[in-house]
């Protein structure tokens, strides 16, 4: 939903009604991940995609029908035995798409959720997409890490007292279901991962019958680029394109400037190891954080890697340099006391073997290694591999 949120909010704020189709589950080689959304606007325009073109026409027609009826629909799309090109997915995948009617009356909480997303505040939205009781379909629960205690449909530091002002929030209709979904949504939010969860009709963890889709709108994952060199500018551009919050850090103020790194969200002048330590102590490093060390200067990168390779929760640590630089760096890190398990976390020389020469090509090589690590890719040409193209979803994604 994040990609189509600006258009959705434009119509929602104008009091219009929108049909929204969202991928809530995928199987096999589905082209779009869970959470991908398509809008059908009040002017009959289509925004976004749920399948890269395979079933958009069918979802478009269904969304118009749902807007007219008001009743949400959970629809599965796969390969059609009769004609795979008519409605089904030609890639052989399967999609579950939840289609609903959205306006200020059906989704009054959308404005606050959009404000949270825009401000980078973590928020999760849980929606009942399947239930034996049709009255439960479309019920929502909004989950925030700092929301406090929920009692009787209110949120506050404690149960609302006579003088306490609390904000009314939606519930699924059952304290048991609310508690179960809220706990699971908090876990998904910490990982920044969307998922469809299954419970019993009243939120029983070992039951079946109720399916709940959770959008986990976590802040952007961080890409930390250490070393304000020309390669860093290219890595910052690619990182921003991939949706990372990009920080460039270097101890040399003449090189670490906003004008040299316009695509970076932050440009910091500080010793790299000191900055990374401070960010970790402040709780701003998480399992989605990517660390790239481009200085290939021992006085910068060895102290930095001592910190980075000992952090318990980072997705990737890569360091630039020739093989000779790499061997020298590894020797220095061993002298500094790092063990082999810690050293095994280092990707060096950084990137995949693409034959890259220019800063831009090298940035693609680095990004390719990060993506492969995130999704479990081999880095080999797809034409010489067998099996599924898309691997299992990584919970850190």
């Amino acid at each position: 939903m994040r990609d189509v949120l600006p258009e959705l909010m434009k119509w929602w704020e104008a009091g219009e009604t929108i049909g929204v189709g969202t991928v809530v589950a995928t199987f096999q080689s589905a082209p779009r991940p869970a959470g991908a959304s398509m809008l059908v606007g009040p002017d009959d325009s289509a925004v976004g995609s749920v399948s890269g073109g395979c079933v958009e026409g069918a979802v478009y027609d269904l969304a118009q029908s749902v807007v007219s009826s008001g009743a949400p629909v959970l629809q599965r799309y796969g390969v059609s035995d009769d004609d795979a090109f008519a409605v089904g997915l030609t890639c052989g995948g399967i999609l579950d798409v939840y289609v609903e009617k959205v306006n200020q009356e059906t989704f009054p909480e959308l404005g606050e959720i959009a404000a949270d997303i825009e401000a980078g505040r973590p928020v999760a939205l849980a929606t009942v997409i399947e239930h034996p009781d049709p009255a439960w379909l479309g019920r929502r629960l909004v989950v925030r890490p700092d929301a406090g205690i929920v009692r009787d449909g209110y949120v506050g530091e404690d149960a609302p007292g006579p003088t306490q002002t609390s904000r009314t929030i939606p519930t699924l209709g059952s304290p048991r279901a609310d508690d179960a979904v809220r706990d699971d949504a908090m876990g998904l939010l910490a990982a920044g991962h969307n998922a469809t969860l299954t419970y019993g009709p009243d939120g029983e963890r070992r039951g079946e019958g109720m399916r709940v889709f959770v959008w986990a709108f976590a802040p952007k994952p961080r890409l930390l680029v250490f070393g304000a060199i020309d390669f860093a500018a290219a890595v910052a551009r690619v990182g921003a394109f991939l949706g990372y919050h990009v920080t460039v850090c270097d101890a040399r103020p003449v090189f670490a400037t906003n004008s040299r790194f316009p695509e970076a969200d932050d440009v910091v002048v500080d010793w790299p190891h000191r900055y990374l330590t401070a960010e970790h102590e402040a709780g701003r490093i998480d399992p989605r954080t990517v660390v790239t060390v481009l200085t290939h200067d021992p006085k910068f990168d060895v102290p930095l890697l001592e910190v980075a390779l000992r952090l318990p929760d980072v997705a990737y640590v890569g360091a630039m340099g020739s093989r000779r630089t790499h061997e020298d760096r590894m020797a220095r890190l061993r002298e500094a006391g790092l063990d082999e398990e810690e050293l095994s976390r280092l990707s060096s020389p950084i990137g995949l073997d693409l034959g890259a020469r220019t800063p831009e090509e090298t940035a693609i090589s680095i990004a390719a290694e990060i993506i492969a690590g995130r999704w479990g890719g081999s880095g080999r040409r797809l034409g010489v591999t067998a099996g599924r193209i898309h691997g299992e979803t990584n919970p850190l994604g």
Side-chain angles (χ1 to χ4, degrees):
M1 181 186 286
R2 192 190 296 267
D3 292 343
V4 299
L5 191 59
E7 287 294 326
L8 178 60
M9 290 308 301
K10 181 183 71 174
W11 285 320
W12 184 88
E13 290 171 347
E16 302 283 4
T17 295
I18 311 98
V20 181
T22 300
V23 178
V24 296
T26 65
F27 309 91
Q28 301 176 27
S29 297
R32 296 298 308 278
S37 295
M38 180 179 123
L39 313 179
V40 176
D43 58 355
D44 292 332
S45 62
V47 177
S49 171
V50 294
S51 71
C54 297
V55 300
E56 261 68 14
V59 174
Y60 181 92
D61 293 339
L62 181 57
Q64 289 185 316
S65 174
V66 166
V67 166
S68 298
S69 69
V73 174
L74 178 63
Q75 180 68 48
R76 175 163 291 184
Y77 296 98
V79 173
S80 168
D81 291 336
D82 296 327
D83 184 358
F85 292 92
V87 173
L89 296 172
T90 57
C91 63
I94 299 173
L95 294 176
D96 282 351
V97 179
Y98 179 73
V99 183
E100 61 185 322
K101 172 183 176 179
V102 170
N103 56 33
Q104 292 182 8
E105 181 179 353
T106 66
F107 198 168
E109 310 86 14
L110 181 58
E112 291 180 353
I113 293 171
D116 285 335
I117 296 171
E118 179 66 23
R121 294 186 294 265
V123 59
L125 172 64
T127 304
V128 178
I129 61 172
E130 188 173 38
H131 199 281
D133 181 354
W136 280 64
L137 292 178
R139 290 183 180 178
R140 298 185 178 90
L141 186 70
V142 181
V143 179
R144 297 178 175 88
D146 57 351
I149 300 170
V150 177
R151 300 270 174 77
D152 300 324
Y154 292 88
V155 62
E157 293 301 319
D158 225 325
T163 60
Q164 183 178 349
T165 59
S166 297
R167 174 167 46 86
T168 301
I169 63 170
T171 75
L172 299 180
S174 158
R176 181 176 187 172
D178 286 353
D179 289 345
V181 173
R182 184 178 297 107
D183 287 346
D184 292 339
M186 286 290 287
L188 292 170
L189 191 56
H193 176 53
N194 304 324
T196 292
L197 309 175
T198 301
Y199 306 91
D202 193 43
E204 301 92 335
R205 290 194 173 276
R206 294 183 178 274
E208 295 183 351
M210 178 170 71
R211 296 173 70 199
V212 178
F213 180 69
V214 179
W215 277 284
F217 297 107
K220 291 181 179 180
R222 298 191 68 187
L223 169 60
L224 305 181
V225 182
F226 293 101
I229 64 176
D230 51 354
F231 287 92
V235 171
R237 285 196 297 273
V238 172
F241 175 75
L242 292 176
Y244 284 91
H245 181 101
V246 180
T247 299
V248 175
C249 175
D250 196 296
R252 302 165 295 180
V254 68
F255 296 115
T257 63
N258 290 313
S259 61
R260 294 190 68 228
F261 301 97
E263 286 84 7
D265 297 281
D266 308 297
V267 179
V268 177
V269 178
D270 199 351
W271 278 84
H273 71 283
R274 186 168 61 190
Y275 174 75
L276 183 59
T277 299
E279 291 298 285
H280 170 60
E281 292 175 348
R284 290 190 285 266
I285 304 297
D286 65 27
R288 301 178 300 149
T289 301
V290 169
V291 177
T292 60
V293 181
L294 310 183
T295 51
H296 51 83
D297 184 334
K299 69 175 178 290
F300 291 117
D301 59 17
V302 171
L304 171 60
L305 288 170
E306 284 186 59
V307 176
L309 294 175
R310 286 172 169 153
L311 292 177
D313 294 322
V314 288
Y316 172 89
V317 180
M320 177 177 282
S322 66
R323 298 198 184 279
R324 182 175 180 178
T325 298
H326 167 73
E327 293 301 327
D328 176 70
R329 180 191 294 134
M330 294 292 280
R332 292 172 183 268
L333 289 171
R334 288 189 178 95
E335 291 175 3
L338 274 75
D339 59 33
E340 294 306 311
E341 181 178 354
E342 290 168 333
L343 292 173
S344 68
R345 303 175 60 200
L346 176 61
S347 295
S348 174
I350 196 170
L352 296 185
D353 180 13
L354 305 183
R357 293 291 186 272
T358 68
E360 290 74 19
E361 290 173 346
T362 302
I364 296 298
S365 167
I366 294 169
E369 185 176 35
I370 293 169
I371 294 168
R374 177 181 180 183
W375 299 108
S378 68
R380 301 171 63 201
R381 295 173 61 190
L382 287 173
V384 299
T385 61
R388 296 175 56 183
I389 292 177
H390 301 104
E392 297 296 330
T393 299
N394 187 324
L396 300 183

